[in-house]
C-alpha cells in the first residue's frame, strides 16, 4: 500500500510519499511543465499515482477498501478519479477552487478499482477525497499535519475510530512529537513507514521542500542515495 503526509511549518511545507508497489510497472515523468508525476502502467494504459507541482500542489491516488456507492458509473456531474487527476495536471481544474468544483461534481472510481485521494493546494491546505464516502478538508495551520494511508478517513471520522493501521499510527505519533522539521527528518519518518515484506513493497520515497521547489527521492528503499529534482 502507500503512506503520504503533509506537514506545515512556520515558513515551509513538507509533502511526503511512500509509493508502495506490488510489481506494477511505473515511471517517473517530468515532461509536463512544472510537474513531477509517477505513473503506473497497466497494459496499454497509464494512470497517475502521485505527483507534485512546483507551486506545492500535490495529488495521490491510494487504494482503499471498496465502497458500493463509489463504484464506476457514468452520468451527468460524475467524473472518475483518473480524469479528475488528469484535469488537475492539465490545469483544467484549479485546486484553489476545489470546494466549488466538488459541490457540483461527484468523483467515482475507475472500473475494478477503489481508491481515495489526497490533494494539497498552493496554500498547503489538504483535501481527502473518497469516492462514495465523502470529503475531508483540512485548513492546515503552522505545525499541523495530515496523514493518509489505505483506510477510509471519512469512515473513521464518522465512526470515531481510533484503531488505525500501524503505519498511520507511527507517522501520526512522529509528526506530533517532531520539532524543527526538515528534509532529513521527513525521510526518517518515511523510513519508519516503509514496507519491506509482503505483497506491497516501498519502491519510491519522496519529499517535497516547498521553499526550495525541490523534490528529493530515493528508489528501492535506498535512503543513503537521495536524488534531487529541482524545478526550473
Amino acid at each position: 500500500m502507500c503512506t503520504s503526509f503533509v506537514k506545515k511549518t512556520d515558513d515551509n511545507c513538507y509533502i511526503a510519499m511512500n509509493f508502495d508497489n506490488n510489481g506494477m510497472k511505473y515511471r517517473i515523468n517530468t515532461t509536463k511543465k512544472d510537474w513531477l508525476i509517477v505513473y503506473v502502467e497497466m497494459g496499454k494504459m497509464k494512470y497517475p499515482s502521485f505527483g507534485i507541482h512546483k507551486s506545492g500542489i500535490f495529488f495521490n491516488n491510494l487504494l482503499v477498501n471498496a465502497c458500493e456507492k463509489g463504484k464506476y458509473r457514468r452520468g451527468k456531474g460524475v467524473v472518475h478519479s483518473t480524469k479528475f487527476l488528469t484535469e488537475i495536471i492539465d490545469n483544467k481544474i484549479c485546486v484553489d477552487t476545489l470546494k466549488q468544483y466538488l459541490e457540483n461534481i461527484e468523483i467515482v472510481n475507475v472500473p475494478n478499482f477503489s481508491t481515495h485521494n489526497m490533494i494539497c493546494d498552493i496554500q498547503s491546505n489538504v483535501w481527502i477525497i473518497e469516492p462514495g464516502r465523502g470529503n475531508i478538508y483540512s485548513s492546515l495551520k503552522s505545525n499541523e499535519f495530515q496523514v493518509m494511508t489505505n483506510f477510509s478517513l471519512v469512515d473513521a471520522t464518522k465512526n470515531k475510530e481510533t484503531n488505525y493501521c500501524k503505519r498511520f499510527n507511527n507517522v501520526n505519533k512522529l509528526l506530533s512529537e517532531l520539532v524543527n522539521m526538515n528534509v532529513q527528518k521527513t525521510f526518517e519518518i518515511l523510513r519508519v513507514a516503509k514496507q519491506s515484506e509482503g505483497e506491497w513493497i516501498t519502491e519510491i520515497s519522496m519529499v517535497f521542500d516547498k521553499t526550495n521547489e525541490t523534490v528529493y527521492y530515493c528508489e528501492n528503499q535506498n535512503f543513503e542515495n537521495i536524488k534531487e529534482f529541482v524545478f526550473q
Side-chain angles (χ1 to χ4, degrees):
M1 303 298 191
C2 300
T3 303
S4 64
F5 62 87
V6 176
K7 169 76 172 183
K8 194 171 183 180
T9 67
D10 289 335
D11 56 0
N12 205 347
C13 177
Y14 296 91
I15 300 171
M17 174 82 185
N18 267 352
F19 170 69
D20 301 340
N21 193 16
N22 66 342
M24 293 181 291
K25 292 183 179 180
Y26 72 88
R27 61 188 178 93
I28 301 172
N29 186 302
T30 58
T31 60
K32 289 279 187 181
K33 180 174 171 58
D34 298 331
W35 279 98
L36 183 149
I37 304 167
V38 172
Y39 289 94
V40 293
E41 300 180 8
M42 299 179 191
K44 296 181 179 180
M45 301 295 293
K46 65 176 183 178
Y47 300 91
S49 179
F50 69 94
I52 186 77
H53 188 270
K54 69 179 294 183
S55 66
I57 294 172
F58 169 78
F59 73 83
N60 67 15
N61 196 35
L62 308 189
L63 290 175
V64 70
N65 55 308
C67 171
E68 185 68 28
K69 191 178 176 182
K71 286 185 176 180
Y72 174 78
R73 71 181 190 279
R74 297 182 180 183
K76 185 177 180 180
V78 176
V79 173
H80 65 71
S81 55
T82 296
K83 182 177 180 182
F84 168 61
L85 297 178
T86 300
E87 290 191 344
I88 290 176
I89 294 167
D90 293 339
N91 201 31
K92 294 180 180 179
I93 296 174
C94 177
V95 173
D96 286 345
T97 59
L98 200 53
K99 180 177 184 294
Q100 293 91 327
Y101 178 87
L102 293 172
E103 287 174 349
N104 297 287
I105 297 293
E106 181 182 0
I107 310 298
V108 297
N109 286 300
V110 297
N112 305 315
F113 276 90
S114 179
T115 61
H116 58 175
N117 311 114
M118 173 183 274
I119 310 290
C120 182
D121 68 17
I122 295 173
Q123 285 75 39
S124 305
N125 303 309
V126 177
W127 284 92
I128 304 296
I129 298 172
E130 300 194 333
R133 292 185 168 97
N135 309 313
I136 298 173
Y137 175 71
S138 300
S139 180
L140 296 185
K141 299 177 182 178
S142 181
N143 296 317
E144 293 183 338
F145 58 86
Q146 178 70 61
V147 184
M148 190 170 84
T149 54
N150 302 97
F151 67 90
S152 168
L153 288 168
V154 172
D155 286 353
T157 301
K158 288 180 179 177
N159 299 328
K160 298 181 180 180
E161 296 177 11
T162 57
N163 187 25
Y164 303 139
C165 78
K166 183 177 180 180
R167 282 177 290 123
F168 183 95
N169 288 338
N170 287 342
V171 171
N172 196 73
K173 181 175 185 295
L174 290 169
L175 288 171
S176 298
E177 298 171 346
L178 190 62
V179 179
N180 300 324
M181 192 81 169
N182 57 36
V183 171
Q184 180 181 351
K185 291 179 180 179
T186 309
F187 269 112
E188 290 173 2
I189 295 174
L190 289 177
R191 189 194 289 260
V192 169
K194 69 180 174 65
Q195 297 191 101
S196 302
E197 299 178 349
E199 179 184 0
W200 295 88
I201 303 297
T202 301
E203 296 204 29
I204 301 175
S205 295
M206 180 213 79
V207 174
F208 176 65
D209 180 334
K210 184 175 180 179
T211 297
N212 294 322
E213 296 183 347
T214 301
V215 176
Y216 302 87
Y217 68 98
C218 66
E219 296 183 79
N220 302 314
Q221 305 178 34
N222 187 359
F223 290 93
E224 311 307 320
N225 182 23
I226 304 297
K227 304 172 186 178
E228 296 182 15
F229 175 78
V230 181
F231 290 104
Q232 300 302 313

